[in-house]
Amino acid sequence: VQLQASGGGLVQAGGSLRLSCATSGITFDDYNIGWFRQAPGKEREGFSCMRSSDGSTYYADSVKGRFTISSDNAKNTVYLQMNSLKPEDTAVYYCAADPRVSHMCHGMDYWGKGTQVTVSS
């Protein structure tokens, strides 16, 4: 199983970024896949996840209305569109996956390497 996050970078507050998570080695439709982030000195936060087989999604309050998770099943890729970025969104962003239906944005088994997102004020 491999997950590869990409698309991070430096952006000004109020700007946008789109992250991609390319997956391989999993049956894409049968997995919860989502995004986590960890800022310096803070715990890792699972903030946006989805299960493409039934369209279920989860968003943490901190990103609701600003971030949108989506997928391209043909490409086995999950995207995260991040709008109205704030300096507090600065973190290393990871994508993760898990086959257990109950593990939506927690207890994920498979992890990719992170991509840095920095939002300047």
Side-chain angles (χ1 to χ4, degrees):
V1 177
Q2 290 189 331
L3 300 97
Q4 180 63 56
S6 61
L10 173 64
V11 64
Q12 288 189 331
S16 299
L17 280 175
R18 190 176 83 152
L19 304 184
S20 299
C21 176
T23 72
S24 62
I26 65 173
T27 305
F28 191 75
D29 284 352
D30 293 339
Y31 276 68
N32 295 327
I33 302 174
W35 293 95
F36 293 68
R37 64 186 180 183
Q38 188 165 22
K42 294 189 176 181
E43 292 187 357
R44 187 170 58 195
E45 171 192 22
F47 64 90
S48 183
C49 294
M50 69 178 297
R51 190 173 184 90
S52 63
S53 60
D54 63 11
S56 57
T57 59
Y58 165 81
Y59 293 97
D61 288 343
S62 56
V63 305
K64 275 181 184 176
R66 300 189 299 123
F67 293 7
T68 303
I69 191 169
S70 63
S71 66
D72 183 334
N73 290 19
K75 295 182 178 180
N76 285 0
T77 299
V78 172
Y79 303 98
L80 182 72
Q81 179 65 44
M82 304 188 292
N83 299 328
S84 302
L85 283 160
K86 305 175 182 179
E88 50 264 44
D89 293 318
T90 295
V92 178
Y93 284 65
Y94 302 87
C95 60
D98 196 280
R100 292 164 288 189
V101 175
S102 62
H103 286 222
M104 178 68 83
C105 260
H106 68 90
M108 310 294 261
D109 268 354
Y110 302 105
W111 292 84
K113 292 182 181 180
T115 184
Q116 177 71 44
V117 171
T118 303
V119 184
S120 63
S121 57

